Amino acid sequence: MGTPPHLSTYLLLAGLATLSACTTSPAPAAPPPTADWPHYLGDPATTQYSALTQLDTTSVAQLEVAWSYASGDRDTLDRSQIQCNPLVIDGTLYGTNPQLKAFALDAATGEELWTFDPAVFSDELFGMGTNRGLSYWTDGTDKRIYYPAGPFLYALDAATGTPVRSFGNGGRIDLHTGLGDGAREQFVISTSPGVIFEDLIIMGGRVSEDLGAAPGHIRAFDLQTGELRWMFHTLPEPGEAGSNTWPDERSPLTGGANAWAGLSLDPERGYVYVPTGSAAYDFYGGNRPGDNLYANCVLALDARTGQKIWHYQTVHHDLWDRDHPATPVLLTVQHDGTPRDAVAQVTKGGYLFLLDRATGEPLFPVEERSYPVSDLAGEVSSPTQPMPILPPAFTRQELTEDDLYPFDSIMNREARELLAASRHGGPFIPPSEEGTIMFPGFDGGAEWGGASYSPSDRLFFVNANEMPWMLKMNPVAGLAGEDPGRAVYAIACQACHGSDLRGGGVFQSPSLLGLAARLDGPQISHTIINGRGAMPAINWLSDQQRRDVTDWLLALPADAEMEEILATTGTSDKKEASGEGAWPYPYIMDGYKRLKTSDGHPITAPPWGTLTALDLDEGGIRWQVPLGTYPDLVARGIDDTGSENYGGPVATAGGVVFIAATLDEKIRAFRSRDGKLLWEAELPAAGYATPAVYAVAGKQYVVVACGGGKLGTKSGDRYVAFALP
């Protein structure tokens, strides 16, 4: 695939850079400051960069497997994942497995040193979610690992894996702490680790995106005792700055504005940088008119006190689930000939906001552009949204008939018919009853794998998805006449498990067909109340509503009769148990649906996944290449498509960018200056995680968690490390 048209402006710059690189010999590199990978995503600034140079553009082609570690607990139904970016400190690697057990390995051999199972505290680990990393702390003598698993933050002795009993309640604290009595029974976990500053660990977290979600306040806990030391209200209390962007009396059902992607830290300034997500309920905001600070913001907070230094909002009154999906990257750019400390925040929409690190002011122009307003009853969408002018978007922004699937005329016709029946265009088309196409979709653009910055190349690398999704809103009034259990399913379960109950979607939810063969009534009810795995607790249903949906699910067949079941409308008189009384808003989102052809490919023309290098000094795109393949299309000779991808890149001083992330179950190395593919290797399962780069005894390694379990790929439990022979 050639350079996309919108990149042509940068061809001359790329060519000059390549010519310069080819005609000069690199000077010997200075010894790297560290051979470790001691922080989540590499360093407190989350640059995902290694100063190691042994693996360079010449040697990388010789990489081979150095060791492989089976961490255990793979789900045989291929629903488990590993998203962990491991730590490597003083020759020891720390990671987590599919069941969020922590472990330590000899980083040179993969030999297991210890494991820790959070089930020692409880054998009922509901609502666990995933884990993307850990935090390390030492005072020179005491060495600890802190990591979140489900609704708890654990402190472990780094040498033995045993809980630090003086921390919290015998070695853990409850992440509901400080969020209020109303949040005590709500879904609160952390998928990303905290950042450690002085004697504090500062935490974001994941909350429900549904009714009555917990607030996403940012909190700092004492490293020794687990005591709550400070809290910043991402949903401002009455009288606090930002409260004027909400109704005078905010609905008690409103929550969210949480930082699930993780945090970055400037230790010299003593600032922590926070990327917040949308307010809940995600897709209808009639109860929350206004811009809704501090949802969808980049926040700079005083790491010692939690006091706000500045904020910058990238989406007003979010109706599209445009959470900030990755940590802000802290870097220094040459702006108008002057060094400027900056914050680079990538978005699901395929944009990058470059902000001054001290003030939050954009370094490049940002326009408040007008967009269509919502026509849903009661909704008051924002008439404008901020749009960065530079750098240009690193994904396509609009679908037309010329952008549809090109490899089969029948599939192209399917795509045209779907496009004609839906609302579509550029960004920020409001949700609608007929359906609005989001492009890029709910999973980006950029995603939780994060972006990488190489100070040696002065380039910023970000991988992205270009999958269209459907955002359709259903009137709740239409559910009142249905079978009570089916109506409750439509409002409480359908968004994740689908209208056909076959699961999948953004959360890779399991199929519910034939559920009676796997769970009985009390088990289903218990799961609804408490959550399980990545599923949040749905505890806002009444007892009657929970019984109705449980009975309906238990009556479902395995598959054959589903069309008849789903086509049948019930005639029950139990109006108090119907959907009409279970949902307070006039609309509910229909479900997370990727738009694919009947043969399983995106309805768009490629690329479906990309890796892009941006020059943040100039605000331009240096290069862009497809990332990943679809094996069935490769068999037809079509191998330049890119694919959906999860997990980010790591850049190195050797001039190489490493990334796994793709559904074709490979890890790759690209030349950082021009995007040329230098090396690729098969993985035992897809590596939907950001790699780590480190060295032990002078030998450099690249390691990635191969957990699979997304995009229809098999699950795995292995960590695989590569090195030179």
Side-chain angles (χ1 to χ4, degrees):
M1 175 181 174
T3 302
H6 69 286
L7 305 186
S8 58
T9 306
Y10 308 103
L11 279 173
L12 178 59
L13 180 61
L16 291 174
T18 303
L19 178 62
S20 174
C22 292
T23 55
T24 59
S25 298
T34 177
D36 290 343
W37 192 263
H39 300 273
Y40 176 56
L41 304 181
D43 53 42
T46 64
T47 60
Q48 299 176 202
Y49 173 77
S50 170
L52 297 173
T53 58
Q54 186 179 87
L55 301 180
D56 60 19
T57 57
T58 301
S59 64
V60 70
Q62 303 172 49
L63 280 174
E64 60 184 31
V65 174
W67 56 260
S68 176
Y69 169 70
S71 64
D73 296 321
R74 179 184 72 84
D75 183 352
T76 57
L77 297 178
D78 292 328
R79 295 175 301 190
S80 66
Q81 304 174 39
I82 313 174
Q83 298 179 357
C84 183
N85 172 243
L87 303 181
V88 182
I89 299 149
D90 295 334
T92 300
L93 181 147
Y94 304 93
T96 58
N97 85 345
Q99 287 295 318
L100 306 195
K101 295 175 183 176
F103 60 79
L105 310 176
D106 183 314
T109 66
E111 179 185 0
E112 183 179 285
L113 303 177
W114 56 255
T115 62
F116 167 77
D117 187 351
V120 299
F121 286 89
S122 171
D123 59 1
E124 289 191 348
L125 295 174
F126 287 90
M128 288 283 281
T130 54
N131 168 274
R132 297 190 180 122
L134 315 93
S135 307
Y136 176 82
W137 171 85
T138 182
D139 61 2
T141 302
D142 193 3
K143 299 178 181 180
R144 298 183 186 179
I145 293 293
Y146 293 83
Y147 89 106
F152 299 101
L153 175 66
Y154 294 84
L156 307 178
D157 183 301
T160 65
T162 56
V164 179
R165 299 295 179 184
S166 59
F167 180 76
N169 182 17
R172 72 178 188 180
I173 59 173
D174 191 331
L175 291 174
H176 293 85
T177 301
L179 298 182
D181 293 339
R184 179 57 54 183
E185 301 302 321
Q186 297 296 341
F187 178 75
V188 177
I189 66 172
S190 185
T191 51
S192 300
V195 296
I196 292 176
F197 178 71
E198 297 179 349
D199 59 347
L200 300 174
I201 183 165
I202 306 168
M203 298 294 300
R206 180 188 166 200
V207 300
S208 170
E209 301 180 358
D210 222 323
L211 276 181
H217 302 329
I218 308 304
R219 291 159 295 161
F221 298 94
D222 188 289
L223 278 174
Q224 302 302 321
T225 67
E227 176 187 3
L228 179 63
R229 293 273 292 275
W230 61 252
M231 179 165 60
F232 175 80
H233 295 137
T234 59
L235 301 174
E237 300 291 326
E240 291 183 339
S243 60
N244 63 327
T245 66
W246 296 86
D248 290 339
E249 294 186 12
R250 189 167 67 235
S251 167
L253 299 177
T254 301
N258 54 302
W260 58 263
L263 315 174
S264 51
L265 179 73
D266 184 334
E268 294 184 1
R269 282 184 172 85
Y271 291 178
V272 61
Y273 295 86
V274 180
T276 62
S278 56
Y281 173 57
D282 277 10
F283 305 105
Y284 181 80
N287 67 319
R288 51 175 173 89
D291 283 352
N292 304 153
L293 294 177
Y294 292 101
N296 305 93
C297 284
V298 181
L299 291 161
L301 306 179
D302 186 311
R304 295 182 177 88
T305 67
Q307 180 181 358
K308 181 172 74 75
I309 308 300
W310 56 259
H311 75 274
Y312 190 89
Q313 189 175 51
T314 63
V315 179
H316 310 317
H317 191 78
D318 187 4
L319 302 174
W320 305 269
D321 192 22
R322 286 310 199 197
D323 300 339
H324 283 133
T327 59
V329 179
L330 310 185
L331 43 81
T332 300
V333 297
Q334 289 290 328
H335 190 72
D336 293 333
T338 303
R340 294 282 294 274
D341 288 346
V343 179
Q345 179 66 63
V346 293
T347 73
K348 288 183 180 179
Y351 315 117
L352 183 145
F353 288 82
L354 190 67
L355 309 173
D356 184 280
R357 204 184 309 175
T359 67
E361 293 296 318
L363 297 189
F364 293 113
V366 176
E367 292 182 354
E368 282 287 338
R369 291 184 180 172
S370 297
Y371 291 98
V373 297
S374 174
D375 59 4
L376 295 181
E379 183 60 85
V380 184
S381 58
S382 174
T384 66
Q385 295 290 349
M387 182 62 61
I389 306 305
L390 293 175
F394 52 84
T395 63
R396 290 170 289 179
Q397 296 294 302
E398 184 173 350
L399 276 182
T400 70
E401 288 191 351
D402 294 333
D403 299 307
L404 299 179
Y405 189 75
F407 303 125
D408 184 284
S409 59
I410 294 176
M411 308 304 167
N412 182 269
R413 185 168 65 249
E414 291 176 358
R416 287 171 182 265
E417 292 172 353
L418 191 153
L419 194 70
S422 309
R423 293 190 184 183
H424 60 91
F428 301 116
I429 305 297
S432 60
E433 290 188 40
E434 61 264 50
T436 297
I437 294 178
M438 291 186 60
F439 184 65
F442 290 119
D443 279 8
E447 252 297 333
W448 49 259
S452 175
Y453 179 68
S454 169
S456 52
D457 289 298
R458 304 204 62 77
L459 290 175
F460 183 94
F461 306 97
V462 58
N463 56 305
N465 292 317
E466 294 206 15
M467 168 68 77
W469 294 62
M470 179 63 73
L471 173 52
K472 184 177 184 295
M473 302 300 288
N474 293 328
V476 171
L479 301 175
E482 295 190 354
D483 178 278
R486 181 182 174 186
V488 174
Y489 175 85
I491 61 175
C493 314
Q494 182 169 301
C496 294
H497 293 280
S499 57
D500 60 2
L501 290 90
R502 290 180 169 85
V506 67
F507 299 115
Q508 297 297 115
S509 305
S511 171
L512 297 181
L513 301 180
L515 187 61
R518 306 193 298 273
L519 299 175
D520 60 23
Q523 290 171 321
I524 294 173
S525 182
H526 190 258
T527 301
I528 292 171
I529 294 171
N530 295 280
R532 185 169 190 170
M535 172 184 165
I538 307 174
N539 45 27
W540 46 267
L541 294 175
S542 69
D543 291 344
Q544 182 62 55
Q545 290 159 355
R546 191 168 60 254
R547 284 193 292 269
D548 287 337
V549 72
T550 298
D551 291 345
W552 187 74
L553 289 170
L554 285 171
L556 292 176
D559 195 38
E561 302 171 52
M562 269 317 299
E563 295 303 323
E564 180 179 350
I565 291 287
L566 294 175
T568 302
T569 298
T571 57
S572 171
D573 293 328
K574 293 190 292 182
K575 296 296 183 183
E576 76 280 359
S578 75
E580 191 171 32
W583 189 257
Y585 309 132
Y587 302 94
I588 189 162
M589 185 255 214
D590 187 60
Y592 294 94
K593 297 179 180 178
R594 290 174 170 88
L595 297 182
K596 295 184 177 183
T597 62
S598 55
D599 65 351
H601 303 112
I603 66 166
T604 57
W608 298 321
T610 58
L611 180 65
T612 303
L614 298 108
D615 180 340
L616 299 189
D617 295 339
E618 300 295 330
I621 295 179
R622 180 71 64 83
W623 53 258
Q624 184 179 87
V625 295
L627 177 64
T629 62
Y630 275 72
D632 64 314
L633 292 179
V634 171
R636 294 167 52 187
I638 305 169
D639 60 0
D640 214 14
T641 62
S643 76
E644 283 190 275
N645 51 91
Y646 296 88
V650 171
T652 72
V656 176
V657 179
F658 292 100
I659 186 167
T662 54
L663 65 76
D664 55 9
E665 301 179 333
K666 292 182 179 181
I667 184 172
R668 294 174 168 88
F670 295 89
R671 191 161 59 193
S672 57
R673 70 172 184 258
D674 58 8
K676 179 182 179 181
L677 179 65
L678 301 175
W679 168 82
E680 64 182 20
E682 300 282 348
L683 298 173
Y688 300 133
T690 301
V693 176
Y694 64 94
V696 177
K699 188 169 188 174
Q700 186 176 342
Y701 298 81
V702 179
V703 64
V704 66
C706 305
K710 294 178 73 71
L711 304 176
T713 59
K714 66 180 180 293
S715 291
D717 69 346
R718 290 191 175 271
Y719 284 68
V720 179
F722 297 87
L724 297 178

